[in-house]
Amino acid sequence: MNSVSSRSKFAMTGLMLLVVIASTAAGQNKSPVAPSEQAYNTILKQAYDNFKNDTTGKNADYIPALAQVDSKLYGIAIVTTDGRVYKIGDVDQPFSIQSISKVFTLALAMEEQGAEEVFQKIGSEPTGRPFNSIPAVVDMPTHAGNPYVNAGAIATASLIGGATADEKWNKLLAFFSKAAGTQLSLLEDVYKSEAATNTGNKAISMILAKYDRIYADPFESVDVYTKACSVGVTANQLAVMGATLANNGKNPLTGEQVIKRENVPHILSAMMMAGLYDGSGGWAWHVGIPAKSGVGGGIVAVMPGKGAMAVFAPPLDEAGNSVKAQKAIAYVADQLNMNIFSPASVGLR
Ligand code: GLU
Protein backbone atom coordinates (compact mmCIF):
# COMPACT_ATOMS: atom_id res chain seq x y z
CA MET A 1 0.00 0.00 0.00
CA ASN A 2 1.60 3.31 -0.96
CA SER A 3 1.71 6.16 1.51
CA VAL A 4 -0.75 8.32 -0.48
CA SER A 5 -3.50 5.73 -0.37
CA SER A 6 -2.89 4.90 3.29
CA ARG A 7 -3.00 8.65 4.09
CA SER A 8 -6.27 9.05 2.21
CA LYS A 9 -7.66 5.93 3.96
CA PHE A 10 -6.74 7.50 7.27
CA ALA A 11 -8.38 10.77 6.25
CA MET A 12 -11.54 8.91 5.17
CA THR A 13 -11.78 7.07 8.49
CA GLY A 14 -11.31 10.38 10.31
CA LEU A 15 -14.03 11.98 8.23
CA MET A 16 -16.46 9.12 8.88
CA LEU A 17 -15.72 9.37 12.58
CA LEU A 18 -16.46 13.09 12.47
CA VAL A 19 -19.78 12.48 10.69
CA VAL A 20 -20.76 9.93 13.34
CA ILE A 21 -19.77 12.27 16.18
CA ALA A 22 -21.58 15.19 14.54
CA SER A 23 -24.80 13.24 14.05
CA THR A 24 -24.68 11.95 17.62
CA ALA A 25 -24.07 15.45 18.94
CA ALA A 26 -27.01 16.75 16.94
CA GLY A 27 -29.16 14.33 18.90
CA GLN A 28 -30.70 11.05 17.87
CA ASN A 29 -34.02 12.75 17.27
CA LYS A 30 -32.88 15.19 14.63
CA SER A 31 -33.88 14.07 11.17
CA PRO A 32 -30.91 14.01 8.79
CA VAL A 33 -33.00 15.99 6.28
CA ALA A 34 -34.25 18.55 8.81
CA PRO A 35 -34.64 22.05 7.37
CA SER A 36 -32.63 24.87 8.96
CA GLU A 37 -34.17 27.13 11.62
CA GLN A 38 -34.14 29.93 9.11
CA ALA A 39 -36.03 27.86 6.52
CA TYR A 40 -38.70 26.97 9.11
CA ASN A 41 -39.12 30.59 10.19
CA THR A 42 -39.27 31.99 6.65
CA ILE A 43 -41.73 29.41 5.34
CA LEU A 44 -43.92 29.64 8.44
CA LYS A 45 -44.23 33.40 7.98
CA GLN A 46 -45.05 32.98 4.30
CA ALA A 47 -47.73 30.39 5.12
CA TYR A 48 -49.22 32.77 7.69
CA ASP A 49 -49.17 35.83 5.43
CA ASN A 50 -50.42 34.00 2.32
CA PHE A 51 -53.67 32.83 3.91
CA LYS A 52 -54.29 35.33 6.71
CA ASN A 53 -56.97 37.20 4.79
CA ASP A 54 -58.68 34.15 3.32
CA THR A 55 -62.33 34.33 4.39
CA THR A 56 -63.50 31.08 2.77
CA GLY A 57 -65.54 28.62 4.86
CA LYS A 58 -67.56 29.01 8.02
CA ASN A 59 -67.43 27.96 11.65
CA ALA A 60 -69.15 24.71 12.62
CA ASP A 61 -72.53 25.57 14.14
CA TYR A 62 -74.17 22.20 14.82
CA ILE A 63 -72.42 22.50 18.20
CA PRO A 64 -73.76 25.98 19.08
CA ALA A 65 -70.70 27.06 21.13
CA LEU A 66 -68.42 26.63 18.09
CA ALA A 67 -70.38 29.22 16.10
CA GLN A 68 -69.40 31.81 18.76
CA VAL A 69 -65.64 31.41 18.30
CA ASP A 70 -63.90 34.36 16.57
CA SER A 71 -63.50 33.18 12.99
CA LYS A 72 -60.47 35.42 12.40
CA LEU A 73 -58.27 33.53 14.86
CA TYR A 74 -55.31 31.97 13.06
CA GLY A 75 -52.22 30.38 14.53
CA ILE A 76 -49.56 27.97 13.25
CA ALA A 77 -47.06 26.01 15.34
CA ILE A 78 -44.38 23.51 14.40
CA VAL A 79 -42.59 21.32 16.96
CA THR A 80 -39.71 19.16 15.74
CA THR A 81 -38.54 15.82 17.07
CA ASP A 82 -35.39 17.51 18.37
CA GLY A 83 -37.55 19.83 20.45
CA ARG A 84 -37.50 23.06 18.45
CA VAL A 85 -40.65 25.17 18.44
CA TYR A 86 -41.63 27.60 15.66
CA LYS A 87 -44.85 29.58 15.87
CA ILE A 88 -46.78 32.50 14.48
CA GLY A 89 -50.20 34.08 15.09
CA ASP A 90 -52.80 33.00 17.66
CA VAL A 91 -50.91 29.99 18.94
CA ASP A 92 -51.85 30.44 22.61
CA GLN A 93 -55.60 30.65 22.09
CA PRO A 94 -57.37 27.54 23.49
CA PHE A 95 -59.95 25.88 21.24
CA SER A 96 -61.77 22.55 21.48
CA ILE A 97 -59.73 19.63 20.21
CA GLN A 98 -62.88 17.88 18.87
CA SER A 99 -62.12 14.97 16.55
CA ILE A 100 -58.37 15.27 17.03
CA SER A 101 -59.03 13.75 20.48
CA LYS A 102 -59.88 10.49 18.64
CA VAL A 103 -56.20 10.01 17.82
CA PHE A 104 -55.18 10.05 21.47
CA THR A 105 -58.18 8.05 22.68
CA LEU A 106 -57.10 5.38 20.19
CA ALA A 107 -53.53 5.61 21.49
CA LEU A 108 -54.66 5.06 25.10
CA ALA A 109 -56.96 2.18 24.14
CA MET A 110 -53.99 0.48 22.44
CA GLU A 111 -51.75 1.11 25.45
CA GLU A 112 -54.32 -0.70 27.57
CA GLN A 113 -55.59 -3.45 25.27
CA GLY A 114 -52.88 -3.91 22.65
CA ALA A 115 -53.07 -2.84 19.03
CA GLU A 116 -54.44 -6.08 17.59
CA GLU A 117 -57.30 -6.27 20.06
CA VAL A 118 -58.32 -2.69 19.23
CA PHE A 119 -58.03 -3.38 15.49
CA GLN A 120 -60.31 -6.42 15.82
CA LYS A 121 -62.87 -4.53 17.89
CA ILE A 122 -62.95 -1.24 15.99
CA GLY A 123 -61.53 -1.83 12.48
CA SER A 124 -59.66 0.59 10.25
CA GLU A 125 -61.56 0.85 6.98
CA PRO A 126 -62.57 4.26 5.63
CA THR A 127 -66.36 4.52 5.57
CA GLY A 128 -66.71 6.77 2.52
CA ARG A 129 -69.48 8.53 4.46
CA PRO A 130 -69.65 11.61 6.68
CA PHE A 131 -67.96 11.21 10.08
CA ASN A 132 -71.30 11.09 11.92
CA SER A 133 -73.08 8.79 9.48
CA ILE A 134 -75.70 6.51 11.02
CA PRO A 135 -76.12 4.27 7.91
CA ALA A 136 -72.36 3.56 8.01
CA VAL A 137 -72.78 1.98 11.46
CA VAL A 138 -75.20 -0.52 9.92
CA ASP A 139 -73.16 -1.16 6.78
CA MET A 140 -69.50 -1.28 7.88
CA PRO A 141 -68.10 -4.79 8.54
CA THR A 142 -67.08 -3.94 12.12
CA HIS A 143 -69.99 -1.46 12.49
CA ALA A 144 -67.61 0.88 14.35
CA GLY A 145 -65.85 1.57 11.00
CA ASN A 146 -62.57 3.08 12.10
CA PRO A 147 -61.31 4.95 15.18
CA TYR A 148 -61.71 8.41 13.58
CA VAL A 149 -65.42 8.40 12.72
CA ASN A 150 -67.84 9.07 15.56
CA ALA A 151 -69.02 5.45 15.82
CA GLY A 152 -65.47 4.12 16.02
CA ALA A 153 -64.37 6.81 18.45
CA ILE A 154 -67.32 6.24 20.79
CA ALA A 155 -66.59 2.49 20.69
CA THR A 156 -62.89 3.21 21.33
CA ALA A 157 -63.79 5.42 24.31
CA SER A 158 -65.86 2.52 25.65
CA LEU A 159 -62.69 0.38 25.68
CA ILE A 160 -60.87 2.65 28.16
CA GLY A 161 -60.65 0.82 31.48
CA GLY A 162 -62.13 2.28 34.68
CA ALA A 163 -64.79 1.52 37.26
CA THR A 164 -66.72 4.71 36.48
CA ALA A 165 -67.15 7.07 33.56
CA ASP A 166 -65.33 9.72 35.60
CA GLU A 167 -62.33 7.47 36.07
CA LYS A 168 -62.14 6.86 32.30
CA TRP A 169 -62.45 10.57 31.54
CA ASN A 170 -59.74 11.48 34.05
CA LYS A 171 -57.43 8.86 32.52
CA LEU A 172 -57.99 10.28 29.06
CA LEU A 173 -57.37 13.84 30.21
CA ALA A 174 -54.15 12.80 31.98
CA PHE A 175 -53.00 10.94 28.88
CA PHE A 176 -53.74 13.85 26.51
CA SER A 177 -51.88 16.12 28.95
CA LYS A 178 -48.79 13.90 28.89
CA ALA A 179 -48.78 14.03 25.08
CA ALA A 180 -49.07 17.84 25.25
CA GLY A 181 -46.47 18.10 28.03
CA THR A 182 -48.77 20.32 30.07
CA GLN A 183 -52.01 20.00 32.06
CA LEU A 184 -55.00 20.39 29.73
CA SER A 185 -58.57 21.05 30.85
CA LEU A 186 -62.18 20.80 29.74
CA LEU A 187 -63.83 23.74 27.94
CA GLU A 188 -67.07 23.62 29.96
CA ASP A 189 -69.11 25.77 27.56
CA VAL A 190 -68.26 23.55 24.59
CA TYR A 191 -68.96 20.38 26.57
CA LYS A 192 -72.35 21.62 27.78
CA SER A 193 -73.26 22.83 24.29
CA GLU A 194 -72.43 19.48 22.67
CA ALA A 195 -73.92 17.38 25.49
CA ALA A 196 -77.22 19.23 25.05
CA THR A 197 -77.36 18.58 21.30
CA ASN A 198 -75.67 15.20 20.61
CA THR A 199 -78.72 13.06 19.87
CA GLY A 200 -77.00 11.72 16.72
CA ASN A 201 -74.07 10.35 18.72
CA LYS A 202 -76.45 8.77 21.25
CA ALA A 203 -78.29 7.09 18.36
CA ILE A 204 -74.95 5.79 17.04
CA SER A 205 -74.12 4.33 20.46
CA MET A 206 -77.42 2.43 20.54
CA ILE A 207 -76.86 0.98 17.07
CA LEU A 208 -73.38 -0.10 18.16
CA ALA A 209 -75.03 -1.79 21.16
CA LYS A 210 -77.42 -3.65 18.84
CA TYR A 211 -74.37 -5.20 17.11
CA ASP A 212 -72.42 -5.79 20.38
CA ARG A 213 -69.81 -3.31 19.21
CA ILE A 214 -69.75 -1.04 22.24
CA TYR A 215 -67.86 -2.27 25.29
CA ALA A 216 -69.35 -0.23 28.17
CA ASP A 217 -72.60 1.60 28.86
CA PRO A 218 -73.52 3.33 25.55
CA PHE A 219 -74.65 6.75 26.86
CA GLU A 220 -71.83 6.89 29.41
CA SER A 221 -69.39 6.18 26.59
CA VAL A 222 -70.89 9.02 24.54
CA ASP A 223 -70.40 11.29 27.54
CA VAL A 224 -66.73 10.30 27.96
CA TYR A 225 -66.25 10.83 24.21
CA THR A 226 -67.98 14.25 24.32
CA LYS A 227 -65.72 15.37 27.17
CA ALA A 228 -62.65 14.19 25.24
CA CYS A 229 -63.81 16.27 22.25
CA SER A 230 -64.26 19.31 24.53
CA VAL A 231 -60.69 19.38 25.83
CA GLY A 232 -59.11 22.79 25.23
CA VAL A 233 -55.78 22.94 23.41
CA THR A 234 -53.74 25.69 21.81
CA ALA A 235 -52.06 25.29 18.41
CA ASN A 236 -48.77 25.19 20.30
CA GLN A 237 -49.93 22.35 22.59
CA LEU A 238 -51.44 20.46 19.67
CA ALA A 239 -48.15 20.63 17.79
CA VAL A 240 -46.41 19.07 20.82
CA MET A 241 -49.02 16.28 20.84
CA GLY A 242 -48.34 15.69 17.15
CA ALA A 243 -44.58 15.82 17.66
CA THR A 244 -44.96 13.10 20.30
CA LEU A 245 -46.32 10.89 17.51
CA ALA A 246 -43.62 12.02 15.09
CA ASN A 247 -41.02 11.11 17.71
CA ASN A 248 -41.98 7.43 18.11
CA GLY A 249 -44.40 8.21 20.95
CA LYS A 250 -41.89 10.11 23.10
CA ASN A 251 -42.75 13.72 23.91
CA PRO A 252 -39.75 15.63 22.52
CA LEU A 253 -40.08 18.43 25.10
CA THR A 254 -40.55 16.40 28.29
CA GLY A 255 -38.69 13.25 27.18
CA GLU A 256 -41.55 11.07 28.44
CA GLN A 257 -42.46 7.95 26.45
CA VAL A 258 -46.22 8.52 26.27
CA ILE A 259 -47.22 6.08 23.52
CA LYS A 260 -45.63 2.69 22.81
CA ARG A 261 -43.47 3.13 19.73
CA GLU A 262 -44.92 0.06 18.02
CA ASN A 263 -48.40 1.61 18.13
CA VAL A 264 -47.44 4.81 16.32
CA PRO A 265 -47.61 3.44 12.74
CA HIS A 266 -51.16 2.16 13.37
CA ILE A 267 -52.23 5.58 14.63
CA LEU A 268 -50.66 7.39 11.66
CA SER A 269 -51.94 4.98 9.01
CA ALA A 270 -55.49 5.49 10.26
CA MET A 271 -54.90 9.26 10.08
CA MET A 272 -53.81 8.93 6.47
CA MET A 273 -57.00 7.09 5.53
CA ALA A 274 -59.60 8.89 7.58
CA GLY A 275 -58.03 11.93 9.24
CA LEU A 276 -59.73 14.61 7.15
CA TYR A 277 -63.26 13.24 6.89
CA ASP A 278 -64.44 12.99 3.29
CA GLY A 279 -61.44 15.06 2.23
CA SER A 280 -58.96 12.33 3.28
CA GLY A 281 -58.36 10.93 -0.20
CA GLY A 282 -57.79 14.37 -1.71
CA TRP A 283 -55.47 15.24 1.16
CA ALA A 284 -53.41 12.07 0.70
CA TRP A 285 -53.24 12.74 -3.04
CA HIS A 286 -52.20 16.39 -2.79
CA VAL A 287 -50.33 16.70 0.51
CA GLY A 288 -49.33 13.20 1.58
CA ILE A 289 -48.94 13.70 5.32
CA PRO A 290 -50.94 11.89 8.01
CA ALA A 291 -53.16 14.49 9.63
CA LYS A 292 -56.26 14.79 11.80
CA SER A 293 -58.81 17.50 11.70
CA GLY A 294 -61.44 18.66 14.20
CA VAL A 295 -64.58 20.75 13.72
CA GLY A 296 -63.18 23.22 16.29
CA GLY A 297 -60.90 24.45 13.48
CA GLY A 298 -57.71 22.59 14.35
CA ILE A 299 -55.64 20.30 12.16
CA VAL A 300 -52.48 18.50 13.26
CA ALA A 301 -50.17 17.02 10.61
CA VAL A 302 -47.46 14.55 11.59
CA MET A 303 -44.20 14.23 9.68
CA PRO A 304 -42.76 10.93 11.03
CA GLY A 305 -39.26 11.37 12.41
CA LYS A 306 -39.32 15.11 11.74
CA GLY A 307 -42.04 16.86 13.71
CA ALA A 308 -45.61 18.06 13.63
CA MET A 309 -47.46 21.14 12.52
CA ALA A 310 -50.71 22.32 14.09
CA VAL A 311 -52.92 25.05 12.73
CA PHE A 312 -55.98 26.65 14.29
CA ALA A 313 -58.42 28.66 12.14
CA PRO A 314 -62.16 28.06 12.73
CA PRO A 315 -63.84 28.44 9.29
CA LEU A 316 -64.41 24.98 7.77
CA ASP A 317 -65.05 23.68 4.25
CA GLU A 318 -68.00 21.44 3.32
CA ALA A 319 -66.24 18.32 4.60
CA GLY A 320 -65.56 19.88 8.02
CA ASN A 321 -61.86 20.73 7.60
CA SER A 322 -60.38 24.14 8.46
CA VAL A 323 -59.78 25.95 5.18
CA LYS A 324 -56.77 28.00 6.29
CA ALA A 325 -55.23 25.07 8.16
CA GLN A 326 -55.31 22.88 5.06
CA LYS A 327 -53.79 25.62 2.92
CA ALA A 328 -51.06 26.47 5.44
CA ILE A 329 -50.05 22.84 5.97
CA ALA A 330 -50.09 22.10 2.22
CA TYR A 331 -47.88 25.15 1.60
CA VAL A 332 -45.31 24.26 4.26
CA ALA A 333 -45.31 20.58 3.25
CA ASP A 334 -44.64 21.51 -0.35
CA GLN A 335 -41.89 24.01 0.46
CA LEU A 336 -40.12 21.65 2.85
CA ASN A 337 -40.60 18.38 0.91
CA MET A 338 -42.64 16.75 3.65
CA ASN A 339 -44.89 14.52 1.49
CA ILE A 340 -44.10 11.08 2.94
CA PHE A 341 -44.79 9.40 -0.41
CA SER A 342 -42.08 11.43 -2.09
CA PRO A 343 -38.46 10.17 -1.94
CA ALA A 344 -37.50 13.86 -1.55
CA SER A 345 -38.93 13.67 1.98
CA VAL A 346 -35.92 11.58 3.02
CA GLY A 347 -33.42 13.64 1.06
CA LEU A 348 -33.43 11.64 -2.22
CA ARG A 349 -33.77 13.92 -5.22
N1 GLU B 1 -67.59 16.15 19.01
C1 GLU B 1 -67.83 16.25 17.61
C2 GLU B 1 -68.95 15.33 17.17
O1 GLU B 1 -69.13 14.30 17.74
C3 GLU B 1 -66.55 15.91 16.92
C4 GLU B 1 -66.66 16.16 15.49
C5 GLU B 1 -65.36 16.38 14.80
O2 GLU B 1 -64.52 17.18 15.16
O3 GLU B 1 -65.25 15.70 13.78
O4 GLU B 1 -69.66 15.63 16.25
Side-chain angles (χ1 to χ4, degrees):
M1 190 187 294
N2 68 36
S3 65
V4 175
S5 85
S6 79
R7 258 209 311 276
S8 67
K9 256 197 172 162
F10 182 74
M12 274 298 268
T13 318
L15 189 69
M16 276 157 65
L17 207 69
L18 268 178
V19 172
V20 172
I21 291 169
S23 56
T24 312
Q28 274 187 322
N29 298 332
K30 187 171 172 65
S31 160
V33 291
S36 68
E37 291 205 4
Q38 196 198 347
Y40 269 124
N41 282 322
T42 308
I43 288 160
L44 205 59
K45 174 144 178 29
Q46 287 166 356
Y48 183 77
D49 292 343
N50 287 355
F51 310 114
K52 190 170 175 308
N53 299 319
D54 189 320
T55 54
T56 325
K58 75 183 207 17
N59 285 29
D61 56 8
Y62 76 96
I63 299 171
L66 300 183
Q68 308 307 318
V69 178
D70 180 356
S71 49
K72 291 202 189 60
L73 290 165
Y74 180 34
I76 312 177
I78 292 178
V79 175
T80 63
T81 47
D82 62 336
R84 291 171 210 266
V85 181
Y86 305 95
K87 43 192 180 176
I88 189 162
D90 301 309
V91 291
D92 297 319
Q93 171 70 39
F95 58 95
S96 58
I97 188 169
Q98 294 298 340
S99 252
I100 306 165
S101 64
K102 294 168 178 170
V103 172
F104 297 91
T105 301
L106 169 66
L108 181 56
M110 289 198 294
E111 292 293 308
E112 294 189 350
Q113 305 241 346
E116 197 49 35
E117 185 75 13
V118 174
F119 178 70
Q120 294 302 335
K121 288 186 165 149
I122 308 296
S124 188
E125 299 305 328
T127 65
R129 308 267 181 93
F131 64 93
N132 51 6
S133 168
I134 291 176
V137 191
V138 177
D139 293 346
M140 292 301 289
T142 61
H143 302 287
N146 68 66
Y148 299 152
V149 291
N150 287 10
I154 294 165
T156 308
S158 79
L159 288 174
I160 304 300
T164 63
D166 253 3
E167 197 181 313
K168 295 173 185 214
W169 151 241
N170 285 321
K171 261 163 100 177
L172 277 169
L173 184 63
F175 187 73
F176 291 10
S177 300
K178 279 198 283 180
T182 185
Q183 183 60 49
L184 302 175
S185 55
L186 185 72
L187 297 179
E188 284 284 349
D189 59 328
V190 177
Y191 167 62
K192 286 195 181 126
S193 182
E194 182 166 346
T197 51
N198 62 357
T199 46
N201 285 339
K202 287 182 182 144
I204 285 173
S205 74
M206 291 313 290
I207 302 173
L208 287 169
K210 166 179 153 64
Y211 293 109
D212 284 330
R213 284 286 179 168
I214 192 154
Y215 308 97
D217 180 83
F219 283 5
E220 254 179 35
S221 302
V222 171
D223 191 52
V224 170
Y225 159 85
T226 307
K227 284 189 172 131
C229 289
S230 307
V231 167
V233 284
T234 65
N236 196 0
Q237 291 162 344
L238 192 55
V240 180
M241 295 173 87
T244 298
L245 288 166
N247 194 35
N248 271 329
K250 186 178 190 175
N251 184 317
L253 300 190
T254 63
E256 186 175 2
Q257 188 74 44
V258 182
I259 298 166
K260 286 195 188 87
R261 59 185 297 149
E262 62 267 30
N263 290 343
V264 170
H266 304 306
I267 296 168
L268 298 184
S269 68
M271 282 166 83
M272 197 77 246
M273 287 182 292
L276 265 77
Y277 312 115
D278 292 346
S280 302
W283 180 261
W285 180 287
H286 291 112
V287 186
I289 302 180
K292 185 72 198 83
S293 165
V295 293
I299 301 186
V300 64
V302 178
M303 287 83 76
K306 296 175 181 158
M309 174 171 177
V311 184
F312 167 53
L316 311 177
D317 65 11
E318 289 291 308
N321 299 308
S322 165
V323 175
K324 284 209 273 282
Q326 290 176 86
K327 290 182 178 173
I329 295 168
Y331 180 80
V332 173
D334 182 51
Q335 295 295 311
L336 296 179
N337 286 317
M338 293 293 185
N339 185 327
I340 64 165
F341 300 112
S342 162
S345 69
V346 289
L348 297 175
R349 311 229 160 226

